Amino acid sequence: MTQRLTTPDWLGWLPPRLVVLDVETTGLGDRDRVVSFGAVALATRSLLDPRPALTCHHLIFDPRRASHPRAEAVHGYDDWLLRHQEPAAAHLGTLADLFADTDLIVAHNAAFDLGFLNREFAAAGRPAVAGRVYCTMEAYRRRGEAGSASLDAVCRRVGVGRTTHRHGALEDAWLALRVYLWLQACPVAVARPTIGPPTNLRTPPPRPDGALPPRVPA
């Protein structure tokens, strides 16, 4: 007799496709900009496979301004490297297509990440990101869990962590995915993807001695 395969309950309440994202920025102010973008796209049906299929996106941008020292200490990209990258506007069409092709957008502190992304879209004259959004930080707080709801703190609760003290956008997107699946009672431990440099990274020329020359106005 052939054994009948059943669909696990947790798969029934997951969307067919989701994108988990993270951004690193020059700071926290109203004039700060996005430095890097990371996203992990997942067709949730593949969670039934031995190795679920993740599609990763990892980009770096010239924010057209220097990072706050504390922000630079977090993301690790200095101004000399950043000023030789493409602006975010060069990739917003690709990002818009990514969000249009998903059923759910997930982020830890989604208001922060999408707020910065939408600022980039607005600056380029493009409409804001649309679609259903799920914030893992707010969902964690709604559970009534004690202590901090930062990504690092929640990941310690889940039992995963980052590989370095730096906050890379792609790794943080994967960590947020692990938190999302934990919040959805999904037992699948999706493996960490290869965390390489941003795919559009440009190698800058040798750094000059002394203070950096002024930036060329945008």
Side-chain angles (χ1 to χ4, degrees):
M1 179 182 295
T2 303
Q3 184 178 5
R4 183 177 180 180
L5 299 178
T6 59
T7 301
D9 291 340
W10 51 263
L11 187 60
W13 56 70
L14 295 181
R17 297 167 300 177
L18 59 88
V19 170
V20 189
L21 67 91
D22 181 80
V23 299
E24 300 300 327
T25 67
T26 59
L28 305 177
D30 292 340
R31 297 179 63 188
D32 283 297
R33 304 288 296 272
V34 174
V35 166
S36 63
F37 170 87
V40 178
L42 171 69
T44 54
R45 189 78 187 177
S46 75
L47 291 168
L48 300 178
D49 299 335
R51 188 173 179 85
L54 302 180
T55 302
C56 297
H57 304 264
H58 193 194
L59 299 169
I60 188 170
F61 311 124
D62 175 9
R64 302 299 174 92
R65 61 177 295 144
S67 295
H68 186 282
R70 291 184 180 178
E72 184 176 319
V74 169
H75 58 63
Y77 298 123
D78 67 24
D79 189 47
W80 181 246
L81 182 142
L82 290 176
R83 67 173 62 195
H84 290 91
Q85 308 308 313
E86 300 169 296
H91 295 273
L92 295 182
T94 298
L95 299 190
D97 291 343
L98 174 66
F99 298 135
D101 195 37
T102 192
D103 301 295
L104 184 67
I105 299 169
V106 179
H108 198 79
N109 195 356
F112 176 89
D113 294 288
L114 289 173
F116 270 90
L117 272 182
N118 282 330
R119 190 178 302 169
E120 299 294 342
F121 277 87
R126 288 179 170 269
V129 176
R132 291 176 56 215
V133 176
Y134 182 99
C135 178
T136 52
M137 184 178 73
E138 294 300 326
Y140 184 79
R141 286 174 171 165
R142 287 195 297 270
R143 287 171 57 97
E145 301 280 351
S148 172
S150 70
L151 182 58
D152 282 353
V154 178
C155 284
R156 286 193 293 271
R157 174 73 171 82
V158 175
V160 294
R162 66 183 75 256
T163 54
T164 72
H165 70 283
R166 300 287 190 195
H167 285 232
L170 178 56
E171 184 171 45
D172 280 10
W174 173 78
L175 291 171
L177 171 62
R178 292 294 303 270
V179 171
Y180 171 78
L181 294 176
W182 178 80
L183 288 166
Q184 302 304 313
C186 172
V188 180
V190 177
R192 188 189 309 266
T194 300
I195 309 294
T199 55
N200 66 328
L201 178 68
R202 293 176 170 179
T203 302
R207 184 186 177 100
D209 295 331
L212 295 181
R215 278 177 167 268
V216 177

